[in-house]
Amino acid sequence: MAAQTILFDFTLDAGKTATSIQRQEVARIVRNELEHVFTQLELAYSMESMDNGYFSVLHENKETIITCRIFQQGLLTINVEYYLAAGKEPVLSLDKGKRLENALAKSLQALSGQKIPTLKRGDVARYYPSSVNFDAYERIIEYDIDTLVYEARSPFQKIQILHSKTLGNMLILDELQNIAESDLIYTETLMGRGIENYEGKEICILGGGDGALLYELLKEKPKHVVMLEIDELVMQACNKYLSSICGDVLEKRKTDQYEIIVGDCVDYMKKFIAEGRKFDYVFGDLTDIPISDAPIGECWDFIRTIFEHSFQLLKPDGKYLTHGNGTSCLESLQLFEEQLRLLKPKVKFTTTKAFVPSFMEEWLFYQVTFA
Amino acid sequence: MAAQTILFDFTLDAGKTATSIQRQEVARIVRNELEHVFTQLELAYSMESMDNGYFSVLHENKETIITCRIFQQGLLTINVEYYLAAGKEPVLSLDKGKRLENALAKSLQALSGQKIPTLKRGDVARYYPSSVNFDAYERIIEYDIDTLVYEARSPFQKIQILHSKTLGNMLILDELQNIAESDLIYTETLMGRGIENYEGKEICILGGGDGALLYELLKEKPKHVVMLEIDELVMQACNKYLSSICGDVLEKRKTDQYEIIVGDCVDYMKKFIAEGRKFDYVFGDLTDIPISDAPIGECWDFIRTIFEHSFQLLKPDGKYLTHGNGTSCLESLQLFEEQLRLLKPKVKFTTTKAFVPSFMEEWLFYQVTFA
């Protein structure tokens, strides 16, 4: 089992927490309500801050420790933490927690309040952020993970395969969810299945180490697919633990139908450009955070570098297909589209979207062609 | 803006935290790493517990308060909390938080570690639990909510309409997500669109106050639909704020095609049974937690009561269609199916599933007929 952290927030009328006496009164009410649940409660420590703040530590047998904080803005936070051993009943069950929240809200005459669903800490890592936002906004997602299937550190990143009860095996790279066995819709939306015709076409995949895109593309009878993936270890992990979405395409590095080149895609794109090699489709299926060794500076510079090279590899009627970001990441998507507008020669784009199960949100996908 | 709570967990070799001196050493390492980020850090309080535990409070100008706790099981939790005013830079950005986690894991030689994505407290309530589990397991879900559209308390429950940037308006009853504008798939899977033929059929909906099921069923040209909903206020809220999924069906209480009866469905089912009224389809579209006034005891008794009455209302070849629970709630689903097996006369069932966007998980739906 694990430590349990249960967080409560209450918004109070800020006028009611302006003086030290008022804050003491709020603290008294909180303690009184907590004592209904935690009968052995003791005050261990309290402090006031210059800016009309207050903080205290309460505990029951030093096992359940509760911190209570009043911010000058009228916000009250209460954090309850204890260790729940296997087979033991929780100190604060769902019902008790809910009743405590209601009782506190009432006694405090709170304007609003919430109990955040219990956080479980110290067993398997289950909390990950939603889509990568360049505007520093992240949303917590809790996965129903029951097993850490695989963990290793390659020269490029931390690689984990975690098993979710509902999503199957998930590939997590540097703490970011990439793809799960549940995510055929991701690959199908990325490739525009049923819209694009890949028969007899020449295709280049940048990244794609999980093998799912290559696997689905090969079903559409292309002439040839070349995939440029930097991380050998990712492919080994996916070949072993994600075979339901990548089949056996990662078993071999080269067949008549495809070739997987292990290396930095930027280097190989330059090589292909020098050779005058051209493709009908280029897929951007890289991680959001660049792991390339190339000295390319910031994230957006990297993305633009990829764009520029990709378009040099495309036939005049070729298409560049890639994922964007979660549709909630408006700023990030705008920045992405700005990069597209900076390209020369000019390009135009369409978008599609899909709710990706393991991302637990809707994502936007881009189809870019020469203008 | 809001208070920010950033939680870190580290699993340490329990042998390394067994003595007071060892725990002091862990605390020293933690403080040392924290001081790289929080340069004005001071120790406010610390305590040891009998069971090899340790707890301390550190702070920077009494603004950022950090609690650090070592559990005897070798688990270390660090909780950082501060108020982020509008327009201010976070004290602990995503990058800084990640670097701090890595530095701590390294210095502590942690077996594993995680930084839980930042929790935002005191603005709009954004954290809700996943599907209701009777086994006291809940998963935190953070919604990208930007506005509280509506809030009221009916005699039966707390009703909220919250706006999510990606899911549209969401109906939340007693802190549980019910349906959102994104969730046509929920209604279509519940009714088995494309599988069931409703033309000319007589249908009874138990609950369904959001109006979405009634709205979709009416498109299929049934003979008549009667809907038994207890909460007038839910219907008013949905009529106003969820019209993209319920159309105008909640505007009128009675037409040639349908009738909405505001009352306890158990009472009306008894009345229909007494009258010998029969239906081709009965839909269980009630909330998971009973809000009926009928003295029916526990949750499962309520569910069985609903089943028993529903089957008395069905024609011999009639069908009872209902939602089950999240597919991750195995125990809960098993209990649900046990209730079905207890029914007399005997019934048989099939299931379907769908990933419901606003539930952020896959749900199971049941189709039950006489055996």
Side-chain angles (χ1 to χ4, degrees), chain A residues 150-177:
Chain A
Y150 171 89
E151 181 169 326
R153 200 169 273 280
S154 78
F156 307 102
Q157 55 206 333
K158 181 172 158 191
I159 304 163
Q160 292 173 302
I161 305 281
L162 297 172
H163 181 262
S164 149
K165 284 191 273 185
T166 49
L167 306 168
N169 281 343
M170 299 165 55
L171 171 66
I172 298 197
L173 299 175
D174 277 345
E175 315 287 330
L176 290 175
Q177 167 54 16

Short mmCIF file of all heavy atoms in Angstrom, two decimals, chain A residues 150-177:
data_model
loop_
_atom_site.label_atom_id
_atom_site.label_comp_id
_atom_site.label_asym_id
_atom_site.label_seq_id
_atom_site.Cartn_x
_atom_site.Cartn_y
_atom_site.Cartn_z
N TYR A 150 8.50 -2.69 -17.20
CA TYR A 150 9.86 -2.56 -17.70
C TYR A 150 10.35 -1.15 -17.39
O TYR A 150 9.59 -0.19 -17.48
CB TYR A 150 9.85 -2.79 -19.21
CG TYR A 150 11.13 -2.48 -19.95
CD1 TYR A 150 12.11 -3.46 -20.11
CD2 TYR A 150 11.35 -1.22 -20.51
CE1 TYR A 150 13.29 -3.18 -20.79
CE2 TYR A 150 12.52 -0.94 -21.20
CZ TYR A 150 13.49 -1.92 -21.34
OH TYR A 150 14.64 -1.65 -22.03
N GLU A 151 11.59 -1.04 -17.00
CA GLU A 151 12.19 0.30 -16.84
C GLU A 151 13.66 0.22 -17.19
O GLU A 151 14.37 -0.70 -16.76
CB GLU A 151 12.00 0.82 -15.41
CG GLU A 151 12.59 2.21 -15.24
CD GLU A 151 12.20 2.89 -13.92
OE1 GLU A 151 11.07 2.68 -13.44
OE2 GLU A 151 13.04 3.63 -13.39
N ALA A 152 14.11 1.17 -18.00
CA ALA A 152 15.53 1.23 -18.36
C ALA A 152 15.86 2.66 -18.74
O ALA A 152 14.96 3.47 -19.02
CB ALA A 152 15.82 0.29 -19.52
N ARG A 153 17.13 2.96 -18.73
CA ARG A 153 17.56 4.29 -19.13
C ARG A 153 18.48 4.12 -20.33
O ARG A 153 19.51 3.46 -20.23
CB ARG A 153 18.28 4.96 -17.95
CG ARG A 153 18.37 6.45 -18.05
CD ARG A 153 18.84 7.03 -16.73
NE ARG A 153 17.76 7.28 -15.81
CZ ARG A 153 16.96 8.36 -15.89
NH1 ARG A 153 17.12 9.26 -16.83
NH2 ARG A 153 16.00 8.53 -15.01
N SER A 154 18.07 4.65 -21.48
CA SER A 154 18.90 4.59 -22.68
C SER A 154 19.82 5.82 -22.66
O SER A 154 19.66 6.68 -21.80
CB SER A 154 18.02 4.61 -23.93
OG SER A 154 17.59 5.93 -24.19
N PRO A 155 20.74 5.93 -23.61
CA PRO A 155 21.54 7.16 -23.65
C PRO A 155 20.68 8.40 -23.89
O PRO A 155 21.13 9.53 -23.69
CB PRO A 155 22.47 6.92 -24.85
CG PRO A 155 22.52 5.45 -25.02
CD PRO A 155 21.18 4.93 -24.60
N PHE A 156 19.43 8.21 -24.31
CA PHE A 156 18.60 9.35 -24.69
C PHE A 156 17.49 9.69 -23.70
O PHE A 156 17.07 10.83 -23.60
CB PHE A 156 17.98 9.10 -26.07
CG PHE A 156 19.01 8.77 -27.10
CD1 PHE A 156 19.22 7.46 -27.50
CD2 PHE A 156 19.81 9.77 -27.63
CE1 PHE A 156 20.19 7.15 -28.44
CE2 PHE A 156 20.79 9.47 -28.57
CZ PHE A 156 20.98 8.15 -28.97
N GLN A 157 16.98 8.68 -23.01
CA GLN A 157 15.81 8.93 -22.18
C GLN A 157 15.53 7.77 -21.22
O GLN A 157 16.09 6.70 -21.35
CB GLN A 157 14.57 9.17 -23.06
CG GLN A 157 14.31 8.04 -24.05
CD GLN A 157 13.55 8.49 -25.29
OE1 GLN A 157 12.79 9.46 -25.23
NE2 GLN A 157 13.74 7.80 -26.41
N LYS A 158 14.62 8.07 -20.27
CA LYS A 158 14.15 7.03 -19.36
C LYS A 158 12.96 6.35 -20.04
O LYS A 158 12.02 7.02 -20.49
CB LYS A 158 13.71 7.68 -18.05
CG LYS A 158 13.22 6.72 -16.98
CD LYS A 158 13.01 7.49 -15.67
CE LYS A 158 12.06 6.80 -14.73
NZ LYS A 158 11.67 7.70 -13.61
N ILE A 159 13.01 5.05 -20.14
CA ILE A 159 11.98 4.29 -20.85
C ILE A 159 11.24 3.42 -19.84
O ILE A 159 11.85 2.67 -19.09
CB ILE A 159 12.62 3.37 -21.91
CG1 ILE A 159 13.49 4.18 -22.87
CG2 ILE A 159 11.55 2.56 -22.66
CD1 ILE A 159 14.47 3.35 -23.67
N GLN A 160 9.92 3.55 -19.82
CA GLN A 160 9.12 2.69 -18.94
C GLN A 160 7.96 2.09 -19.71
O GLN A 160 7.35 2.74 -20.56
CB GLN A 160 8.53 3.51 -17.78
CG GLN A 160 9.55 4.03 -16.80
CD GLN A 160 8.89 4.95 -15.79
OE1 GLN A 160 8.29 5.96 -16.17
NE2 GLN A 160 8.99 4.61 -14.52
N ILE A 161 7.68 0.84 -19.43
CA ILE A 161 6.42 0.23 -19.87
C ILE A 161 5.64 -0.04 -18.59
O ILE A 161 6.09 -0.77 -17.70
CB ILE A 161 6.65 -1.10 -20.62
CG1 ILE A 161 7.61 -0.92 -21.81
CG2 ILE A 161 5.31 -1.70 -21.05
CD1 ILE A 161 7.02 -0.32 -23.06
N LEU A 162 4.47 0.59 -18.48
CA LEU A 162 3.61 0.39 -17.33
C LEU A 162 2.34 -0.28 -17.81
O LEU A 162 1.88 -0.03 -18.92
CB LEU A 162 3.27 1.74 -16.69
CG LEU A 162 4.46 2.53 -16.12
CD1 LEU A 162 4.02 3.92 -15.69
CD2 LEU A 162 5.06 1.80 -14.93
N HIS A 163 1.77 -1.11 -16.96
CA HIS A 163 0.52 -1.75 -17.36
C HIS A 163 -0.67 -1.07 -16.70
O HIS A 163 -0.74 -0.95 -15.48
CB HIS A 163 0.53 -3.24 -17.01
CG HIS A 163 -0.74 -3.92 -17.44
ND1 HIS A 163 -1.78 -4.15 -16.57
CD2 HIS A 163 -1.15 -4.37 -18.65
CE1 HIS A 163 -2.77 -4.73 -17.25
NE2 HIS A 163 -2.41 -4.87 -18.50
N SER A 164 -1.60 -0.62 -17.53
CA SER A 164 -2.85 -0.04 -17.04
C SER A 164 -3.95 -1.08 -17.21
O SER A 164 -4.00 -1.77 -18.23
CB SER A 164 -3.19 1.20 -17.87
OG SER A 164 -4.59 1.38 -17.97
N LYS A 165 -4.83 -1.16 -16.21
CA LYS A 165 -5.89 -2.16 -16.28
C LYS A 165 -6.80 -1.96 -17.48
O LYS A 165 -7.29 -2.91 -18.06
CB LYS A 165 -6.72 -2.13 -14.98
CG LYS A 165 -5.98 -2.79 -13.82
CD LYS A 165 -6.90 -3.00 -12.62
CE LYS A 165 -6.92 -1.77 -11.74
NZ LYS A 165 -7.70 -1.96 -10.51
N THR A 166 -7.02 -0.69 -17.86
CA THR A 166 -7.94 -0.45 -18.96
C THR A 166 -7.25 -0.12 -20.29
O THR A 166 -7.85 -0.31 -21.34
CB THR A 166 -8.90 0.72 -18.63
OG1 THR A 166 -8.11 1.80 -18.15
CG2 THR A 166 -9.90 0.31 -17.58
N LEU A 167 -6.02 0.39 -20.24
CA LEU A 167 -5.36 0.83 -21.47
C LEU A 167 -4.32 -0.17 -21.97
O LEU A 167 -3.76 0.00 -23.04
CB LEU A 167 -4.69 2.19 -21.25
CG LEU A 167 -5.61 3.31 -20.71
CD1 LEU A 167 -4.79 4.50 -20.27
CD2 LEU A 167 -6.63 3.72 -21.77
N GLY A 168 -4.07 -1.20 -21.18
CA GLY A 168 -3.03 -2.17 -21.55
C GLY A 168 -1.65 -1.60 -21.25
O GLY A 168 -1.51 -0.68 -20.46
N ASN A 169 -0.64 -2.12 -21.93
CA ASN A 169 0.71 -1.62 -21.71
C ASN A 169 0.86 -0.21 -22.29
O ASN A 169 0.32 0.09 -23.36
CB ASN A 169 1.74 -2.56 -22.33
CG ASN A 169 2.00 -3.76 -21.45
OD1 ASN A 169 1.67 -3.78 -20.26
ND2 ASN A 169 2.60 -4.80 -22.02
N MET A 170 1.57 0.64 -21.56
CA MET A 170 1.77 2.03 -21.96
C MET A 170 3.26 2.30 -22.07
O MET A 170 4.03 1.86 -21.21
CB MET A 170 1.22 2.97 -20.87
CG MET A 170 -0.26 2.85 -20.60
SD MET A 170 -0.76 3.66 -19.03
CE MET A 170 -0.13 5.32 -19.28
N LEU A 171 3.66 3.05 -23.09
CA LEU A 171 5.05 3.45 -23.25
C LEU A 171 5.23 4.86 -22.68
O LEU A 171 4.62 5.81 -23.18
CB LEU A 171 5.46 3.45 -24.72
CG LEU A 171 6.84 4.05 -25.04
CD1 LEU A 171 7.97 3.22 -24.43
CD2 LEU A 171 7.04 4.20 -26.55
N ILE A 172 6.05 4.97 -21.64
CA ILE A 172 6.29 6.28 -21.03
C ILE A 172 7.76 6.63 -21.19
O ILE A 172 8.63 5.86 -20.80
CB ILE A 172 5.86 6.24 -19.54
CG1 ILE A 172 4.36 5.94 -19.50
CG2 ILE A 172 6.22 7.54 -18.82
CD1 ILE A 172 3.66 6.24 -18.23
N LEU A 173 8.00 7.77 -21.85
CA LEU A 173 9.37 8.23 -22.08
C LEU A 173 9.61 9.50 -21.28
O LEU A 173 8.87 10.47 -21.44
CB LEU A 173 9.60 8.49 -23.58
CG LEU A 173 9.43 7.27 -24.49
CD1 LEU A 173 9.56 7.67 -25.95
CD2 LEU A 173 10.42 6.17 -24.14
N ASP A 174 10.61 9.48 -20.41
CA ASP A 174 10.89 10.64 -19.56
C ASP A 174 9.62 11.17 -18.91
O ASP A 174 9.35 12.37 -18.94
CB ASP A 174 11.59 11.75 -20.36
CG ASP A 174 13.09 11.51 -20.46
OD1 ASP A 174 13.62 10.67 -19.70
OD2 ASP A 174 13.73 12.16 -21.30
N GLU A 175 8.85 10.26 -18.32
CA GLU A 175 7.65 10.60 -17.54
C GLU A 175 6.50 11.13 -18.40
O GLU A 175 5.52 11.63 -17.87
CB GLU A 175 7.94 11.65 -16.45
CG GLU A 175 9.20 11.40 -15.62
CD GLU A 175 9.06 10.24 -14.64
OE1 GLU A 175 7.94 10.00 -14.19
OE2 GLU A 175 10.07 9.57 -14.36
N LEU A 176 6.61 11.02 -19.73
CA LEU A 176 5.49 11.46 -20.57
C LEU A 176 4.90 10.27 -21.30
O LEU A 176 5.62 9.46 -21.91
CB LEU A 176 5.95 12.52 -21.58
CG LEU A 176 6.31 13.87 -20.98
CD1 LEU A 176 6.87 14.79 -22.06
CD2 LEU A 176 5.10 14.52 -20.31
N GLN A 177 3.57 10.17 -21.24
CA GLN A 177 2.86 9.09 -21.91
C GLN A 177 2.99 9.25 -23.42
O GLN A 177 2.74 10.33 -23.96
CB GLN A 177 1.40 9.10 -21.45
CG GLN A 177 0.46 8.25 -22.28
CD GLN A 177 0.91 6.80 -22.40
OE1 GLN A 177 1.77 6.33 -21.67
NE2 GLN A 177 0.36 6.10 -23.36
#
